[in-house]
Amino acid sequence: MTATVWRRVAAVRTPDGAELHATIDGSDDAPVTVVLAHGWTLAQAAWDDVADLLAPRIADGDLRLVRYDQRGHGRSTWGDSEISVDQLGDDLAAVIDQLAPHGPVVLGGHSMGGMTIMCLAASRPELFGDRVAGAGVFERLRNLLPPDHPRHQKMVRGLLYGADATDEMVLTGARIMHASTLRSFIAFMPALGDHDKREELTALTRVPVEIFVGDGDKLTPRRHSRQLAEALPEAQLHEVERTGHMLTQERPRLVTDAVERLLAAATADRAAA
């Protein structure tokens, strides 16, 4: 039986005028909030499989889940600021401040969403160890052909998915990316290339961190995750076999298990305090 989860939507307004579309599942009285940030040219729908696996705990009142569209993606607007990954970190801070202003928070970020968490750690280190109690970092193509065309899916599969990905996974991912605008593809590309926060991650050493990367990830290869793990020596690095870039789709159970471990650590720390 599918768990029944109370859901609402919200608009998070940023200082520069962007409106970030967010979906909140669960009760405001839940003891901990999970906030999930998606990757480049994707949308919050990229977390649907993980959200489905968390639904029973949400329905039981154990946690509250917040997903949002990054600026310029999905149903979120652009705002007036120059595009940068640092700005995305500020956006995540606004999401936490407005939608999870109290209690412990566990963060999950896929691809660009993981960079977003690192920027938040650099700009708002006081949040980590107090409000933010854990973080997971889970390490995208435009085509004139429609996403259900075999050539389109072959290209998406070759770049983003691992050996065990099903055709349904690939089609779902292709549709999410195809719904993104060409502007989001072009505008964020140089910002992502310039991103490097390895020297500014002290705040993340205060909380448990889990890093995942697929062994077949061509977009953010394993060496990037290994370098991140070197900067965060207490973090748990997981290199997942037969998996590509789209971990939230390809291995939602592994991702959800990591979120569950971070939730357990967050609630245990609060109980001991």
Side-chain angles (χ1 to χ4, degrees):
M1 180 180 297
T2 302
T4 300
V5 175
W6 183 71
R7 173 172 293 174
R8 67 184 178 92
V9 298
V12 174
R13 292 174 174 81
T14 68
D16 73 322
E19 290 195 356
L20 309 178
H21 176 77
T23 301
I24 304 104
D25 292 330
S27 169
D28 290 344
D29 297 329
V32 62
T33 300
V34 176
V35 180
L36 302 177
H38 67 76
W40 179 40
T41 73
L42 296 171
Q44 61 181 270
W47 289 101
D48 282 356
D49 292 332
V50 173
D52 288 345
L53 290 171
L54 290 173
R57 289 197 60 179
I58 299 171
D60 289 342
D62 293 340
L63 66 96
R64 184 167 170 264
L65 179 65
V66 175
R67 291 169 286 165
Y68 70 102
D69 293 333
Q70 302 257 33
R71 69 170 55 213
H73 293 71
R75 285 177 278 183
S76 293
T77 62
W78 285 89
D80 298 326
S81 296
E82 181 179 350
I83 293 301
S84 70
V85 186
D86 287 335
Q87 180 62 58
L88 299 184
D90 293 341
D91 290 347
L92 177 54
V95 171
I96 294 172
D97 291 344
Q98 295 181 39
L99 300 184
H102 307 290
V105 175
V106 168
L107 303 178
H110 171 238
S111 188
M112 185 178 75
M115 299 177 184
T116 300
I117 294 173
M118 288 186 269
C119 287
L120 178 67
S123 65
R124 294 280 301 274
E126 75 280 1
L127 290 177
F128 289 78
D130 180 16
R131 294 296 323 290
V132 176
V137 183
F138 309 102
E139 301 287 354
R140 264 169 335 194
L141 320 180
R142 193 84 178 168
N143 197 302
L144 295 177
L145 300 172
D148 56 352
H149 192 285
R151 285 172 59 194
H152 187 123
Q153 292 182 52
K154 181 179 179 180
M155 181 181 65
V156 170
R157 177 183 286 279
L159 181 62
L160 298 180
Y161 288 86
D164 292 341
T166 66
D167 291 342
E168 183 179 6
M169 289 178 191
V170 176
L171 178 58
T172 298
R175 286 173 172 168
I176 294 172
M177 286 178 280
H178 196 262
S180 185
T181 64
L182 185 61
R183 181 183 177 188
S184 68
F185 180 86
I186 294 172
F188 280 94
M189 185 180 291
L192 295 174
D194 293 339
H195 171 82
D196 188 350
K197 283 289 188 288
R198 283 174 292 170
E199 303 302 319
E200 303 177 55
L201 300 180
T202 301
L204 282 173
T205 64
R206 303 173 195 155
V207 298
V209 174
E210 302 219 15
I211 304 166
F212 282 77
V213 62
D215 66 352
D217 191 334
K218 300 180 180 67
L219 199 59
T220 53
R222 282 182 285 181
R223 68 176 183 277
H224 294 173
S225 293
R226 290 171 179 169
Q227 290 166 355
L228 180 57
E230 290 174 2
L232 299 170
E234 299 300 317
Q236 299 297 312
L237 173 62
H238 309 269
E239 300 185 17
V240 187
E241 294 182 355
R242 299 178 63 82
T243 303
H245 186 68
M246 302 298 286
L247 272 155
T248 58
Q249 280 186 288
E250 295 179 73
R251 306 295 182 192
R253 182 74 263 174
L254 289 180
V255 173
T256 305
D257 287 346
V259 172
E260 297 269 11
R261 289 191 293 272
L262 295 171
L263 286 167
T267 54
D269 289 344
R270 297 287 160 163

